[in-house]
Amino acid sequence: MSAPSIIFWTIFVLPMVAFLIWLMRQDKRKGWIGLVVLAITVIGAIVYTVIKNDGKQDSPTTQTQQPVK
């Protein structure tokens, strides 16, 4: 996993998932349905990413300089 990916997961995804779990647990009647939907969404996103990238990391891009006019 590349550094930007790790930063994205630690700063955005994990806190959002933790907040959503906390929020759904506050609903005493149907909180488990929200947790199941969240789990399916997270698993689906991971499976999609693995299938889309075929388990490979992105190749590093090279930047070329344009000639100055």
Side-chain angles (χ1 to χ4, degrees):
M1 207 185 270
S2 64
S5 179
I6 292 172
I7 292 170
F8 173 77
W9 277 89
T10 57
I11 292 178
F12 295 107
V13 175
L14 294 178
M16 181 190 70
V17 169
F19 173 73
L20 288 174
I21 289 172
W22 174 82
L23 188 64
M24 286 183 259
R25 301 271 301 160
Q26 300 302 313
D27 182 14
K28 298 298 180 192
R29 294 180 300 144
K30 299 201 187 269
W32 61 273
I33 294 174
L35 291 174
V36 169
V37 169
L38 177 64
I40 290 171
T41 303
V42 169
I43 291 169
I46 292 170
V47 168
Y48 172 78
T49 303
V50 169
I51 290 172
K52 180 84 172 158
N53 291 336
D54 195 26
K56 300 174 191 166
Q57 290 185 357
D58 291 338
S59 61
T61 59
T62 58
Q63 295 180 348
T64 58
Q65 290 182 332
Q66 298 294 329
V68 178
K69 296 182 180 181

